[in-house]
Amino acid sequence: MHVHFLGTGAGLPSKGRNVTSIVLDLLQERNALWMFDCGEATQHQILHTSIKPRKIEKIFITHLHGDHIFGLPGLLSSRSFQGGEEPVTIYGPIGIKQFIETALTVSQSKLSYPIIIEELKEGIIFEDDQFSVSVKHLDHAIDSFGFRIDEKDSPGPLLVEKLKEVGIKPGPIYSQFKTEETVELPNGKTVRSKDYIGEPKKGKSIAVLGDTRTKEEYVTFIQNVDLLIHEATFNKDQEQLAYDYFHSTTTQAAKLAQKANVKKLILTHISSRFQLNEVDQLLLEAMQYFEETAIAHDFYSTSIK
Amino acid sequence: MHVHFLGTGAGLPSKGRNVTSIVLDLLQERNALWMFDCGEATQHQILHTSIKPRKIEKIFITHLHGDHIFGLPGLLSSRSFQGGEEPVTIYGPIGIKQFIETALTVSQSKLSYPIIIEELKEGIIFEDDQFSVSVKHLDHAIDSFGFRIDEKDSPGPLLVEKLKEVGIKPGPIYSQFKTEETVELPNGKTVRSKDYIGEPKKGKSIAVLGDTRTKEEYVTFIQNVDLLIHEATFNKDQEQLAYDYFHSTTTQAAKLAQKANVKKLILTHISSRFQLNEVDQLLLEAMQYFEETAIAHDFYSTSIK
Ligand SMILES: [Zn+2]
Ligand SMILES: [Zn+2]
């Protein structure tokens, strides 16, 4: 599981940062990519990566501000010319359907694949045997949402050496250890499967919050995630500005990460008002409260451990 | 009068060419920029130029395919943060109003300036004492239009030396030569103004055609323009493809330029199928029929003489 930042700026594109888009790479887990937000020129950013748009399975939109959605019509249209055949599901606030449908209809874009558009409510919006995705309403100038993705624990591996030691040879019987509680051996003896199965592998968890003021009540929602992606539009001295514009400061995000006991925090949605050297300062501000912090830049990429 | 090519590709953005947008620089003539089409990431391209979005007075949309309009919502929204206060008029095919209004409403983008959206019909769509703009319907998969911009001739300069020679000294009387047919001199003598006015300056003309098959009947519309901007999505051997996809080849565009007696032809909307060295070949194909041809690339810019 990896995460790629395609755009890490706030509001307007600048030479240094494009507007928001993040890709969660689940190629190993399910041969799919999940995208979070799709600001203008996200498809252009992708040209400079190895990301394949046809692998995008789901797009989660945190909120409808232009810097988070204006790249959607282009990305969806181009995907038709990039081998896209599998369906894409788009989750976003009420209005996302009208936006996408109007753009595609007016431009007479005929997609080579089906799209499903689901407008958001709080709660669990997706669940299969691998992942669940839950949603929380945030505090922004317009409806804005946070997503929490939980990978389910996967069963431990069959302890092949241990099976051989007790004389159970490889064969169809091995699969019974994965599906049955007990297994009857050829010699008539019955053994417990769990004695021959290793430790289950803990699923990863990640939370991506849209633009928001920081609030204590988010703690439960993001509790213990392996990675929290949070905006930091303002620096530590701009709490009033952050409040007025429904955004967060570096230290507010860091304190939240600390309270929620997350493993790692990545700050994004960085204003172009901050020069490159000031970004180092932003990082220091956050690290004062939460050591495991990074500040994203365009094309920054990391593995979730 | 200058023209700047911001995007010169066809269909999809590529690393080499962005999707279509052209800016006509009328800063000297009227302190304004006129834009033709606005593909996705046009505002990003502008970041690499000296173009000021707040100077954009008019945006002409040739047709509603995504590669010609998906940059509009972002450009319009960002202009509010770039000192935009003067109104912008947008001319485009039926549907452009719904597209823009939906994008701005859904994203709750509040512009700092008024926009006027005018849906296109053939004929003269704008005229003032400096310029007229006329529109012709073209032959594309969806409604597509060509724009012809004619600058009006400007009166010649006052021949100050000649006035001085006959003893007419600089003063308020000079302005009478510009507004009156005859002028009475202080000595009682009456002279004809036109004897003291130089040759009128011929206005420039430029035609920008949207995506289209090339048609003989466009000749009258573009007759004698100083600059014709025409698409060339296909090469000389791909006439059937061009026809099937409602586009033009290099030689079709060049022959049209030749028949219409234009001064200069710039080909754009170049497919990313063509490698850099093949683009030279495209140019040669066109030049066989029309010598004064150039092929645009992103950030190509030229003066209209
Ligand atoms: Zn934002
Ligand atoms: Zn096109």
Side-chain angles (χ1 to χ4, degrees):
Chain A
M1 204 183 288
H2 312 275
V3 66
H4 303 282
F5 289 81
L6 294 174
T8 58
L12 306 197
S14 68
K15 277 189 192 170
R17 294 180 191 271
N18 196 31
V19 284
T20 300
S21 183
I22 299 166
V23 169
L24 180 63
D25 174 338
L26 301 174
L27 291 174
Q28 278 200 346
E29 291 78 5
R30 58 195 286 131
N31 194 26
L33 303 170
W34 289 4
M35 177 176 276
F36 296 84
D37 288 337
C38 186
E40 183 177 354
T42 293
Q43 64 164 328
H44 297 66
Q45 296 290 87
I46 287 176
L47 293 175
H48 301 279
T49 70
S50 59
I51 289 168
K52 290 186 176 54
R54 65 185 163 83
K55 295 283 189 187
I56 298 172
E57 179 197 13
K58 294 177 182 296
I59 303 176
F60 301 90
I61 300 295
T62 61
H63 65 299
L64 299 180
H65 276 154
D67 57 323
H68 297 254
I69 63 166
F70 285 165
L72 259 181
L75 181 95
L76 294 174
S77 310
S78 295
R79 187 176 183 270
S80 281
F81 299 95
Q82 292 159 334
E85 289 177 355
E86 298 296 311
V88 174
T89 306
I90 302 151
Y91 305 85
I94 292 173
I96 190 68
K97 195 174 165 77
Q98 190 198 353
F99 172 67
I100 294 171
E101 289 181 351
T102 300
L104 297 181
T105 304
V106 160
S107 61
Q108 297 195 22
S109 307
K110 286 160 199 83
L111 303 186
S112 59
Y113 57 91
I115 54 172
I116 302 106
I117 305 176
E118 298 199 1
E119 296 189 323
L120 290 173
K121 272 185 255 168
E122 283 204 337
I124 293 177
I125 56 162
F126 171 75
E127 183 158 21
D128 65 7
D129 55 7
Q130 265 190 315
F131 285 95
S132 77
V133 180
S134 46
V135 167
K136 185 162 180 57
H137 192 268
L138 307 175
D139 184 19
H140 193 47
I142 60 175
D143 278 345
S144 182
F145 293 91
F147 299 95
R148 179 183 173 129
I149 294 91
D150 285 292
E151 185 187 19
K152 298 188 176 174
D153 298 344
S154 43
L158 204 60
L159 301 175
V160 176
E161 286 310 310
K162 194 171 171 187
L163 287 163
K164 285 181 183 164
E165 270 169 35
V166 297
I168 309 168
K169 297 217 173 72
I173 198 170
Y174 272 28
S175 66
Q176 287 182 43
F177 283 86
K178 290 182 180 172
T179 52
E180 311 295 331
E181 256 183 66
T182 58
V183 177
E184 198 190 320
L185 302 182
N187 63 12
K189 214 178 125 188
T190 295
V191 297
R192 290 189 311 182
S193 298
K194 68 172 182 183
D195 293 338
Y196 299 91
I197 303 281
E199 283 293 300
K201 206 181 128 229
K202 186 97 189 69
K204 307 282 178 224
S205 55
I206 162 172
V208 183
L209 302 195
D211 292 8
T212 186
R213 288 178 183 155
T214 313
K215 281 186 141 180
E216 185 88 20
E217 66 179 86
Y218 303 161
V219 167
T220 330
F221 181 67
I222 61 175
Q223 194 95 49
N224 300 331
V225 292
D226 294 295
L227 173 62
L228 168 64
I229 299 176
H230 197 292
E231 69 130 295
T233 312
F234 292 100
N235 72 23
K236 74 169 172 29
D237 302 322
Q238 300 172 308
E239 292 208 358
Q240 188 59 46
L241 277 171
Y243 186 86
D244 293 346
Y245 289 96
F246 296 90
H247 284 295
S248 300
T249 71
T250 48
T251 49
Q252 287 170 339
K255 283 177 187 172
L256 182 70
Q258 191 262 317
K259 273 183 203 145
N261 189 39
V262 313
K263 283 229 187 74
K264 185 175 175 155
L265 168 67
I266 301 182
L267 297 176
T268 186
H269 205 266
I270 308 299
S271 167
S272 62
R273 283 177 289 104
F274 297 117
Q275 305 300 312
L276 211 56
N277 60 330
E278 291 173 294
V279 172
D280 294 340
Q281 179 57 32
L282 297 179
L283 180 61
L284 290 177
E285 290 172 13
M287 286 176 71
Q288 234 188 313
Y289 294 91
F290 190 77
E291 180 92 18
E292 286 301 313
T293 303
I295 295 197
H297 52 80
D298 287 16
F299 305 115
Y300 171 68
S301 166
T302 187
S303 297
I304 300 162
K305 285 176 213 120
Chain B
M1 205 184 289
H2 312 276
V3 66
H4 303 281
F5 288 81
L6 294 175
T8 59
L12 306 198
S14 68
K15 276 189 194 172
R17 296 181 188 270
N18 196 32
V19 285
T20 301
S21 183
I22 299 167
V23 169
L24 179 63
D25 174 340
L26 301 175
L27 291 175
Q28 276 198 348
E29 292 78 4
R30 58 195 287 131
N31 194 26
L33 304 170
W34 288 4
M35 177 176 276
F36 296 84
D37 288 336
C38 186
E40 184 178 353
T42 293
Q43 64 163 327
H44 297 67
Q45 296 289 87
I46 286 176
L47 293 176
H48 301 278
T49 69
S50 59
I51 289 168
K52 289 185 178 54
R54 65 186 162 84
K55 295 283 188 188
I56 298 172
E57 180 198 12
K58 294 177 183 298
I59 303 176
F60 301 90
I61 300 295
T62 62
H63 65 298
L64 300 180
H65 276 156
D67 57 323
H68 297 253
I69 63 166
F70 285 165
L72 260 180
L75 181 95
L76 294 174
S77 310
S78 294
R79 187 176 184 271
S80 282
F81 299 95
Q82 292 159 332
E85 291 178 354
E86 298 296 313
V88 173
T89 306
I90 302 152
Y91 305 85
I94 292 173
I96 189 68
K97 195 174 165 78
Q98 191 199 352
F99 172 67
I100 294 171
E101 289 180 351
T102 301
L104 297 181
T105 304
V106 160
S107 62
Q108 297 196 23
S109 307
K110 286 159 200 82
L111 304 185
S112 59
Y113 57 90
I115 55 172
I116 303 105
I117 305 176
E118 298 198 2
E119 296 189 323
L120 289 174
K121 272 185 257 173
E122 282 204 334
I124 293 177
I125 55 161
F126 171 75
E127 183 158 22
D128 65 7
D129 55 8
Q130 264 191 316
F131 285 94
S132 77
V133 180
S134 46
V135 167
K136 184 158 181 59
H137 192 268
L138 307 175
D139 184 19
H140 194 48
I142 60 174
D143 279 346
S144 181
F145 294 91
F147 299 95
R148 178 182 172 129
I149 294 90
D150 285 294
E151 185 188 21
K152 299 189 175 173
D153 300 344
S154 43
L158 205 60
L159 300 174
V160 176
E161 285 311 309
K162 192 170 171 188
L163 286 164
K164 284 182 184 164
E165 267 169 36
V166 298
I168 308 168
K169 298 219 173 69
I173 199 170
Y174 272 26
S175 68
Q176 287 181 43
F177 283 87
K178 292 183 178 172
T179 53
E180 311 294 331
E181 257 184 63
T182 58
V183 176
E184 197 189 324
L185 303 182
N187 63 11
K189 214 177 127 186
T190 295
V191 297
R192 291 190 309 183
S193 298
K194 69 171 181 183
D195 294 337
Y196 298 92
I197 303 282
E199 283 294 301
K201 204 180 130 233
K202 186 97 187 72
K204 307 282 178 227
S205 56
I206 161 171
V208 183
L209 302 194
D211 291 8
T212 187
R213 288 178 184 153
T214 313
K215 281 187 142 178
E216 185 88 22
E217 67 179 85
Y218 304 160
V219 167
T220 330
F221 181 68
I222 61 175
Q223 194 95 49
N224 300 331
V225 292
D226 295 294
L227 174 61
L228 169 63
I229 298 176
H230 197 292
E231 69 131 294
T233 313
F234 291 100
N235 72 22
K236 74 169 169 33
D237 302 321
Q238 300 172 309
E239 291 208 358
Q240 189 59 46
L241 276 171
Y243 186 85
D244 292 346
Y245 289 96
F246 297 92
H247 284 293
S248 301
T249 71
T250 48
T251 49
Q252 287 170 339
K255 284 176 185 171
L256 182 70
Q258 190 263 317
K259 274 183 201 142
N261 189 39
V262 313
K263 284 229 187 72
K264 183 173 176 155
L265 168 66
I266 301 183
L267 297 176
T268 185
H269 206 265
I270 309 299
S271 167
S272 62
R273 284 176 288 104
F274 298 117
Q275 305 301 311
L276 212 56
N277 59 330
E278 292 174 293
V279 171
D280 295 340
Q281 180 57 33
L282 297 178
L283 180 60
L284 290 177
E285 290 172 13
M287 286 177 70
Q288 233 188 311
Y289 295 92
F290 190 78
E291 179 92 18
E292 286 300 314
T293 303
I295 295 197
H297 53 80
D298 287 17
F299 306 115
Y300 171 69
S301 165
T302 186
S303 296
I304 300 163
K305 284 176 216 121

